[in-house]
Amino acid sequence: DRKAKTRSMMYGNVLKSYVALKHKSPQTRRPTVFEICGYSHYENIVSNVLAFFFASDGAHGLGATIVHEFVRSAGKVPQMGDDIWAAEREVRTKTGKLIDIMLVSDENVIVVENKLWAPLYNDLDDYMTFAQDRHDGKTVWGILLCLQNPPRDICLHGFEVVTYDA
């Protein structure tokens, strides 16, 4: 019982020190789990993890919550209900380009371009055209997920921008 009390006091002191230190050193941006692991610049790894959580029937047990919140962070509030979402990775368009993640439900399609450190050079128009042709009759929209907002002179072809902080 004495050891447990000592341990409890020690953890309490560590927590107090952390809180005090946190207030002394403001951060401009919180590090991501990928930065902590040393894989912050590997878009494929990040996209794989995202696709896992976007798939509403995944082992994570969160259903479509992640997709719904992701879409809301883009400023959209679509009528999605309890759609089941499939997450496809590296979807090849007719021109041979690769879409990072394509989320598909019975009524909706979301094309996700994931950008970490690379500049935006992707043919977003090709991505949208492909998704609309492949999923005729469904509502299609695009989301550019990136660390910071792209330059204003870049044509986004209807893609909404969502930063990782958002």
Side-chain angles (χ1 to χ4, degrees), residues 116-147:
L116 293 179
W117 303 106
L120 181 62
Y121 54 81
N122 308 75
D123 189 347
L124 300 179
D125 187 44
D126 179 46
Y127 293 1
M128 290 299 280
T129 300
F130 174 79
Q132 289 164 344
D133 290 347
R134 183 175 177 194
H135 299 283
D136 188 34
K138 294 185 181 187
T139 301
V140 177
W141 66 88
I143 298 178
L144 171 62
L145 178 61
C146 50
L147 290 174

Side-chain angles (χ1 to χ4, degrees), residues 57-121:
D57 61 350
H60 49 70
L62 297 171
T65 302
I66 302 300
V67 174
H68 291 189
E69 293 308 314
F70 181 60
V71 170
R72 281 190 186 94
S73 68
K76 301 239 184 234
V77 187
Q79 300 298 320
M80 292 194 290
D82 293 327
D83 284 358
I84 295 175
W85 290 88
E88 301 175 35
R89 284 279 291 120
E90 298 290 318
V91 178
R92 189 170 302 276
T93 69
K94 292 177 183 176
T95 63
K97 308 284 194 278
L98 294 174
I99 297 172
D100 290 332
I101 304 170
M102 185 179 290
L103 305 174
V104 180
S105 74
D106 287 341
E107 298 178 20
N108 301 287
V109 176
I110 305 171
V111 176
V112 180
E113 177 55 33
N114 184 24
K115 282 293 172 202
L116 293 179
W117 303 106
L120 181 62
Y121 54 81

Side-chain angles (χ1 to χ4, degrees), residues 15-74:
L15 184 59
K16 286 177 189 175
S17 297
Y18 170 76
V19 170
L21 180 63
K22 185 177 178 187
H23 291 293
K24 289 181 183 178
S25 59
Q27 292 180 322
T28 57
R29 184 176 67 77
R30 294 175 292 182
T32 67
V33 68
F34 304 106
E35 289 170 321
I36 293 167
C37 294
Y39 289 99
S40 63
H41 60 285
Y42 291 101
E43 283 180 13
N44 277 333
I45 291 173
V46 174
S47 292
N48 288 339
V49 172
L50 289 171
F52 169 78
F53 284 106
F54 285 147
S56 62
D57 61 350
H60 49 70
L62 297 171
T65 302
I66 302 300
V67 174
H68 291 189
E69 293 308 314
F70 181 60
V71 170
R72 281 190 186 94
S73 68

